[in-house]
Amino acid sequence: QVQLAESGGGSVQAGGSLRLSCVASGYSSNNYCVGWFRQAPGKEREGIASIYTGNTITYVHASVKGRFSISQDDAEDTRYLQMDGLKPEDTAMYYCAASSIPWTSCTRGQWTAINFRTWGQGTQVTVSS
């Protein structure tokens, strides 16, 4: 089964940008869905974006659409979350995760955290005003 590892978090000023990376390792003979999530202390885990391996169609949640985007480099088994115009409200632990849901559900955002079977360790994003 694939393993995932996030990186790229840090502390930035409001209005700044970060690009998070999610590197996959381990062999997989099938394509799968990769999602980005975030969770602030005391709050529920929130789905942010998703993409299907080998596919260019992306989903971005309305709460961050226009500021965040998801992309991938299949050759390097890496997915990215580009975050621009960061706000203090974006402060959270950010996770990537993998799911076996079909590409249609993945690229339409028709999923929740329970659909994702494999998770990275998380990377902290802190945005100050």
Side-chain angles (χ1 to χ4, degrees), residues 4-125:
L4 305 175
E6 307 96 333
S7 63
S11 297
V12 298
Q13 297 291 122
S17 296
L18 287 172
R19 187 175 75 159
L20 307 184
S21 299
C22 175
V23 178
S25 61
Y27 176 75
S28 178
S29 61
N30 299 110
N31 290 313
Y32 56 93
C33 183
V34 177
W36 281 100
F37 298 79
R38 66 184 182 185
Q39 188 167 24
K43 300 190 69 176
E44 295 295 314
R45 189 162 296 188
E46 177 187 17
I48 298 300
S50 55
I51 192 168
Y52 201 78
T53 61
N55 195 301
T56 60
I57 302 172
T58 63
Y59 165 80
V60 180
H61 193 272
S63 64
V64 296
K65 186 173 290 185
R67 297 190 298 119
F68 292 10
S69 62
I70 187 171
S71 61
Q72 67 186 345
D73 184 343
D74 278 319
E76 298 295 333
D77 291 327
T78 302
R79 280 77 208 170
Y80 303 98
L81 184 68
Q82 179 68 44
M83 304 185 294
D84 299 318
L86 283 163
K87 304 175 180 180
E89 295 82 359
D90 297 318
T91 296
M93 186 73 75
Y94 284 72
Y95 301 88
C96 65
S99 174
S100 61
I101 59 174
W103 73 270
T104 50
S105 298
C106 182
T107 57
R108 295 170 184 171
Q110 297 173 341
W111 45 260
T112 63
I114 197 170
N115 299 122
F116 289 77
R117 68 187 187 277
T118 302
W119 293 80
Q121 82 287 349
T123 185
Q124 179 68 37
V125 172

